Amino acid sequence: MAQPYDHDNVFAKILRDEIPCKRVYEDPFALAFHDINPQAPVHVLVIPKAPYVSLDDFLAEATDPQITGFFRAVGKVSRALGLAESEGGSGFRALANAGGDAHQDVPHLHVHLFGGKPLGPMLAKQPESPE
Ligand code: AMP
């Protein structure tokens, strides 16, 4: 069953301007800001303005305009940051952790945008199991 939205989560507080962020983009659907603990030379989070716990919750419950608006914003941010190859950048990784196995820490949907260096494999490679 879906987890109820916690209006006291840190990204809800950022959306209400109760705590600061290093803002890089904002429109009616989304806000983007630098991650407080960057894992790459560029590490930005894009969040929807509406209260959705996770990608799972968002894709099940959001309206089509919210979904389109949010993912358009992810694209705009990747281009504005100069990461997108369409803008002469060298690429980026977009990642959304959803739920326990993915170690989602903040229960408000966020897409991480990583870039600025070769990012290596998507997941740590597991040793091959013997046949
Ligand atoms: P996740 O594990 O996918 O839920 O990632 C949560 C991310 O939020 C982490 O990369 C944190 O560094 C980041 N984070 C937590 N608090 C803040 C904050 N106040 N401002 C910016 N980023 C934050």
Side-chain angles (χ1 to χ4, degrees):
M1 188 164 131
Q3 179 185 342
Y5 185 80
D6 170 13
H7 289 273
D8 285 329
N9 80 75
V10 66
F11 294 167
K13 291 179 179 174
I14 286 176
L15 283 169
R16 292 196 298 266
D17 275 332
E18 291 171 9
I19 59 174
C21 71
K22 285 173 65 186
R23 194 170 306 231
V24 297
Y25 176 82
E26 183 167 11
D27 69 19
F29 294 102
L31 173 69
F33 51 90
H34 290 278
D35 195 288
I36 205 168
N37 183 22
Q39 304 297 309
V42 179
H43 183 176
V44 163
L45 302 172
V46 190
I47 69 172
K49 286 196 167 171
Y52 293 103
V53 174
S54 66
L55 189 64
D56 176 25
D57 182 28
F58 186 68
L59 294 178
E61 303 295 340
T63 64
D64 288 356
Q66 285 176 324
I67 292 172
T68 303
F70 177 68
F71 282 106
R72 289 262 185 231
V74 173
K76 286 177 190 169
V77 174
S78 72
R79 294 190 294 276
L81 293 169
L83 300 175
E85 291 186 334
S86 61
E87 291 293 320
S90 48
F92 63 93
R93 177 168 297 149
L95 180 149
N97 293 315
D101 276 2
H103 290 236
Q104 180 181 357
D105 286 331
V106 179
H108 181 114
L109 168 60
H110 46 286
V111 170
H112 297 256
L113 288 178
F114 301 101
K117 68 168 190 183
L119 295 166
M122 187 167 64
L123 296 172
K125 292 214 165 130
Q126 305 300 314
E128 285 186 26
S129 55
E131 294 287 314

